[in-house]
Amino acid sequence: MTPETLNFSMGGLLPVVVQHHGSGQVLMVGFSNREAVEKSLETGHAWFFSRSRQRLWEKGETSGNLLDVKAIRVDCDADALIYLCEPHGPTCHTGERSCFFQGVDEIPRGETSGEAAAVLFETILERQREGDPEKSYVARLLAQGVDRVARKVGEEATEVVIAAKNADREEIAREVADLWFHTFILLAEQGMTPEDVWAVLRARRRQ
């Protein structure tokens, strides 16, 4: 699929949904014309067409909160796109991570599993940056070094095995949550992110 084959059926525009490439969280929705799509492909940053200002604009051109385009998906009619992006800072002008931070009163806003994982890891990174063992379990654990963090991951893995042997679904869920939580801490200690793991898992799908 190329920009020339896209269906710009809305007065020369098509809608673009922007998702976080790691968590899948919907960050914003914009509109692009052919030139905006071409510039997104050329620069690797998300470009759109402003209907109010009638001009091209690059997300983050004033705030610095750019969106790095990691992949683009085209719908079956070629008249809508999804940009999978790595955001640099909050996407919403309000300072929120996503423009979709409000809910409808009658329907809970909810949170996807990917969003929950992303928020958890960002919280771990915040505790790591703050580095106050007196106020944070994460900071306290990280202060003890990789040996202690790795040992804690091993302990939690053992708890998962025991829970599985007990065939207790609630216990398994709790222990796997503990294991994933401490694995995230280990990734942070190593200067890595869950995306390093997701990349490996995506490659394994082709095996």
Side-chain angles (χ1 to χ4, degrees):
M1 187 70 65
T2 66
E4 290 72 24
T5 58
L6 294 174
N7 181 11
F8 296 90
S9 58
M10 299 177 62
L13 303 175
L14 52 68
V16 179
V17 177
V18 178
Q19 284 184 276
H20 191 291
H21 77 107
S23 69
Q25 181 181 28
V26 176
L27 301 176
M28 62 169 283
V29 174
F31 290 86
S32 289
N33 60 6
R34 190 185 312 279
E35 187 178 0
V37 174
E38 290 173 345
K39 289 187 74 68
S40 296
L41 292 169
E42 175 187 343
T43 66
H45 297 152
W47 284 76
F48 304 93
F49 184 84
S50 171
R51 293 174 298 170
S52 60
R53 291 171 288 177
Q54 288 294 297
R55 70 170 182 86
L56 292 178
W57 65 284
E58 180 183 23
K59 176 60 181 174
E61 61 188 12
T62 56
S63 67
N65 298 328
L66 299 172
L67 292 169
D68 290 344
V69 179
K70 300 296 185 180
I72 296 179
R73 294 180 181 167
V74 185
D75 88 326
C76 57
D77 296 318
D79 60 0
L81 300 176
I82 294 176
Y83 285 1
L84 298 174
C85 294
E86 174 68 32
H88 292 270
T91 298
C92 185
H93 72 281
T94 63
E96 294 287 339
R97 288 164 42 87
S98 164
C99 293
F100 295 90
F101 60 89
Q102 303 180 86
V104 178
D105 290 343
E106 293 79 9
I107 305 174
R109 185 176 70 88
E111 187 177 60
T112 68
S113 55
E115 289 171 346
V119 170
L120 172 61
F121 191 72
E122 285 192 8
T123 301
I124 289 171
L125 292 180
E126 287 177 8
R127 301 295 184 266
Q128 184 181 39
R129 288 192 293 268
E130 293 165 358
D132 189 346
E134 298 298 322
K135 295 182 179 179
S136 165
Y137 167 77
V138 171
R140 188 159 59 251
L141 185 58
L142 287 169
Q144 297 177 61
V146 64
D147 288 346
R148 178 63 185 122
V149 177
R151 186 162 66 251
K152 188 63 178 174
V153 172
E155 292 171 0
E156 298 301 340
T158 300
E159 294 295 331
V160 171
V161 173
I162 294 172
K165 295 288 286 184
N166 292 336
D168 186 324
R169 294 170 63 90
E170 291 186 5
E171 183 185 2
I172 292 171
R174 288 194 303 270
E175 297 302 341
V176 170
D178 286 343
L179 175 60
W180 288 1
F181 173 62
H182 287 90
T183 301
F184 275 19
I185 296 175
L186 179 64
L187 288 174
E189 194 279 334
Q190 293 289 303
M192 300 172 64
T193 73
E195 180 56 32
D196 295 309
V197 180
W198 307 149
V200 174
L201 290 175
R202 281 193 290 271
R204 288 184 180 178
R205 289 187 305 188
R206 297 189 290 272
Q207 295 179 357

